[in-house]
Amino acid sequence: MPPWNDRFLRACRREPVDRTPVWFMRQAGRYQPEYRALRERYSLLDICRQPDLCAQVTLLPVEQLGVDAAILFSDIMVPLGPMGARYELKENVGPVVERPVRTPEDVARLEPLEPEVDLPYVLETIRILRRELRVPLIGFAGGPFTLASYLIEGRPTRDFLHTKGFMYHQPGAWHELLRRLTDSVILYLKAQVEAGAQAVQVFDSWVGSLSPGDYREFVLPHMQRLFAETSGLGVPRIQFGVTTLGLLPLMREAGGEVIGVDWRVGLAEAWQRIGDGVAVQGNLDPAVLLAPAPVVRRRVEAVLAEAHGRPGHIFNLGHGVLPATPPGMLRQVVEWVHELGGQGNGG
Ligand code: CP3
């Protein structure tokens, strides 16, 4: 058995590491022939509800790619079911909610999550994984804004008009919705860590659709409470969203140990905006992985050059792996990052 690999956790704590750690958002998914074959027989939620199978799906990319962390296979929508939202994960579309949240009464109907009762299979998957893994396991939850956006819109959107309309027209109900979501996210993350998750990522993927002023008013207080109430867990907490350039200082104010950024900002500039004292995760454009190998290598070098050997860089994509990605290219990127990226030694 290979020795325990802790360079991901060391980088989260901004300690020097022998090699820059690397993992990929959506490292388990449709780019893998094995995953596509499984999905012929099981829905995504079927996989999540069977701990042995779910653990296998989580482990597969770790074994195939040589990444430095595993991420629990699940979906940000999973805790919303037991809270009372009926939804479907539609192929090539994403989450579709049967009765979108549009009124204060809809908000009042949302139940608090009881992770041990509602989602025992998630916690069992985590326990299985901890016995199998030689790299750290990342648990996760959706950010309250991003979860609210799916509940309110009822389906994926680009402009978030229903979400913002709800926010501006019914600020009281909005804050109550975010309070309820934040309560459940806190309990869910705690349960995952108690079951064995060694880091957690908050996927606030779509929060970058807000202006800094609206983030401060409508989201920041909830994110601050989320991070305050999970600080005692003793594990690194990663915040991630796309198009967050203008929000980075506020995300820093929200809390957590690591901030994940997408490719729309250079890593050096992102780091400067975030400031010292937290680690940074990112930020290769996932579309680059469809390019010829020499182009990919140059882009990997460019990301590492922007990180400039600073402690506290975790290499990742700026968003999830695309289904058209050649699996061999992901493996190659892991090798390049490990070959080229060393920290605390000047690059
Ligand atoms: O490997 C991992 O990263 C862990 C698994 C994971 C999934 N979803 C599995 C999944 C994680 C971390 C998520 C989080 C998630 N889910 C987010 C946040 C990250 C992000 O992408 O911004 C969001 C917004 C969702 C909601 C969601 N679920 C979307 C937008 C989709 C894609 C729709 C599509 O078909 O392209 C899903 C479905 C989903 N969740 C897939 C996977 C692997 C797609 C493949 C499938 O249906 O089997």
Side-chain angles (χ1 to χ4, degrees):
M1 222 188 212
W4 168 246
N5 166 359
D6 72 344
R7 53 170 86 98
F8 165 76
L9 290 175
R10 291 181 60 86
C12 289
R13 297 190 295 255
R14 291 173 296 112
E15 294 166 5
V17 285
D18 59 338
R19 304 268 181 257
T20 299
V22 49
W23 68 279
F24 304 112
M25 293 183 276
R26 289 280 165 90
Q27 60 191 21
R30 276 178 307 213
Y31 78 93
Q32 295 171 299
E34 299 88 348
Y35 179 84
R36 289 198 302 272
L38 266 178
R39 286 280 283 104
E40 305 262 312
R41 292 163 56 204
Y42 305 104
S43 74
L44 193 150
L45 296 175
D46 288 338
I47 297 173
C48 297
R49 291 191 193 107
Q50 299 179 62
D52 284 312
L53 185 59
C54 190
Q56 267 184 48
V57 171
T58 305
L59 287 169
L60 195 65
V62 179
E63 289 156 2
Q64 288 181 336
L65 306 177
V67 285
D68 298 299
I71 181 159
L72 170 71
F73 187 81
S74 185
D75 195 87
I76 59 165
M77 297 301 287
V78 165
L80 297 181
M83 291 182 71
R86 291 159 67 94
Y87 68 92
E88 220 185 310
L89 288 173
K90 276 220 172 124
E91 193 94 35
N92 299 316
V93 177
V96 176
V97 176
E98 203 172 279
R99 277 192 54 192
V101 168
R102 295 286 161 86
T103 66
E105 294 71 39
D106 294 337
V107 173
R109 269 194 292 274
L110 288 173
E111 306 270 356
L113 183 74
E114 289 185 76
E116 284 80 7
V117 177
D118 296 327
L119 303 172
Y121 47 86
V122 173
L123 307 179
E124 180 55 21
T125 304
I126 292 174
R127 287 188 280 265
I128 296 171
L129 283 166
R130 280 302 304 278
R131 294 196 286 272
E132 304 279 330
L133 281 166
R134 307 300 296 158
V135 297
L137 175 63
I138 304 168
F140 72 89
F145 174 86
T146 296
L147 294 173
S149 79
Y150 282 113
L151 289 176
I152 295 169
E153 301 287 339
R155 54 194 308 113
T157 169
R158 279 172 201 283
D159 47 26
F160 299 90
L161 290 183
H162 291 290
T163 308
K164 292 180 185 181
F166 192 94
M167 212 168 79
Y168 298 133
H169 285 280
Q170 310 185 73
W174 169 267
H175 282 293
E176 180 58 22
L177 174 59
L178 262 72
R179 254 194 299 282
R180 286 179 186 233
L181 290 168
T182 303
D183 283 343
S184 291
V185 167
I186 290 167
L187 292 170
Y188 190 37
L189 293 177
K190 278 188 177 161
Q192 291 183 53
V193 172
E194 280 160 16
Q198 291 147 298
V200 291
Q201 177 153 323
V202 178
F203 283 94
D204 213 355
S205 304
W206 311 134
V207 79
S209 61
L210 293 179
S211 70
D214 282 344
Y215 180 90
R216 183 179 284 291
E217 180 173 347
F218 294 107
V219 179
L220 181 61
H222 305 282
M223 291 297 273
Q224 280 178 322
R225 185 165 69 88
L226 192 163
F227 285 107
E229 294 190 17
T230 52
S231 64
L233 294 177
V235 302
R237 296 155 308 152
I238 309 165
Q239 271 192 83
F240 167 77
V242 300
T243 63
T244 54
L245 178 57
L247 299 183
L248 291 173
L250 292 166
M251 289 172 71
R252 170 74 195 271
E253 231 179 284
E257 287 68 38
V258 186
I259 293 182
V261 292
D262 76 3
W263 62 93
R264 295 171 183 91
V265 55
L267 204 64
E269 187 185 350
W271 214 312
Q272 194 210 330
R273 294 213 184 192
I274 292 166
D276 294 329
V278 288
V280 172
Q281 177 173 283
N283 70 340
L284 187 69
D285 181 348
V288 164
L289 298 178
L290 311 182
V295 177
V296 182
R297 181 167 165 126
R298 280 200 296 279
R299 296 299 182 280
V300 169
E301 286 169 355
V303 169
L304 291 167
E306 295 233 14
H308 203 62
R310 267 176 289 210
H313 177 222
I314 298 150
F315 193 101
N316 205 316
L317 304 178
H319 207 169
V321 177
L322 299 167
T325 307
M329 190 54 78
L330 282 170
R331 207 193 146 72
Q332 183 62 255
V333 167
V334 171
E335 279 173 24
W336 284 331
V337 172
H338 285 164
E339 173 196 323
L340 301 166
Q343 294 169 12
N345 55 12

